[in-house]
Each structure stands twice: as C-alpha cells, then as structure tokens.
Amino acid sequence: RFTDDKNRLKFVVDPKTILYVKSDENYCIIHYVEAGKPKVYSLRSTISKLEEKCAPYNIVRCHRSYCVNMDNVKSMKKEPDKTNVLELNVAGLDMVPVSERYSAKISEML
C-alpha cells in the first residue's frame, strides 16, 4: 500500500510485482508488472520514504535515485564506463544503475 506525502492511499500493488522505483524530483516512479506486462505508476513521495516501506519485501536502495526488487534481478554488469548496472528478469527494460556507495551491498545480496 502506497500513500502520498499527505498520507492518503494512492496505490496498492503486490510487492513481488515491483521491479524498481526511480526518484524524479518530488515523485517516485514505480515500475511493476501487471498481467505479464511492465507498467508504471507515479506517486508523490520521496524515495527515502518508499525505501523504508519496501525494505521488508527485499526492495533495496542501489543508487541515490533508485531502489530495486532483488527478487527480480538477473545479474549485475560493469559497463564500459566502469559503472555497475543491474539487469532485470523482465525483457525490454532499461538497466538499473548501481552507485559505488551501494555496489558492495548489492554484490553481497546477489
């Protein structure tokens, strides 16, 4: 259950279907799967609040602007520019970046 910054219920989703969450200024874009297709939902909230709410469901911070559902991570790769990215189990999605700060934690979880 996700609420907005005024604590009003806005969105309900099964945590297992969440792929990742991306911060975009005052909003968080929740990427999830519904009926086998990737979907997005925009919620007015901070990523810190969502990180706290999602932690029990194996959704962890991997970047200043991203949280990822570790149950949906296929692998971690190092890009030619030396940055780490996560490949998800769902085809056709962008790679999720991993910052240096979270790289060791994510590697350990994989």
Side-chain angles (χ1 to χ4, degrees):
R1 297 177 164 268
F2 291 99
T3 56
D4 64 9
D5 55 350
K6 294 184 179 162
N7 214 27
R8 295 179 296 212
L9 182 63
K10 291 294 183 180
F11 184 58
V12 178
V13 66
D14 181 353
K16 295 176 200 159
T17 65
I18 296 174
L19 301 170
Y20 66 96
V21 177
K22 179 182 179 188
S23 174
D24 187 14
E25 294 185 19
N26 293 329
Y27 289 85
C28 286
I29 313 302
I30 301 168
H31 294 257
Y32 65 103
V33 176
E34 184 177 280
K37 296 185 180 189
K39 304 270 186 168
V40 296
Y41 184 83
S42 182
L43 179 72
R44 185 170 175 87
S45 182
T46 65
I47 197 155
S48 297
K49 286 181 185 175
L50 290 187
E51 175 186 17
E52 186 179 304
K53 183 175 286 238
C54 293
Y57 305 105
N58 208 25
I59 300 170
V60 297
R61 193 78 165 257
C62 62
H63 186 276
R64 183 175 69 112
S65 300
Y66 288 84
C67 289
V68 67
N69 185 340
M70 292 302 293
D71 295 334
N72 290 312
V73 173
K74 185 176 179 180
S75 65
M76 184 162 76
K77 299 180 188 180
K78 190 168 285 283
E79 293 288 288
D81 65 356
K82 306 275 188 212
T83 60
N84 289 318
V85 293
L86 297 172
E87 183 179 8
L88 302 177
N89 291 331
V90 178
L93 292 176
D94 293 337
M95 301 278 194
V96 176
V98 179
S99 67
E100 191 65 36
R101 177 179 178 185
Y102 298 101
S103 186
K105 175 184 169 185
I106 297 296
S107 292
E108 187 178 299
M109 293 179 81
L110 289 172

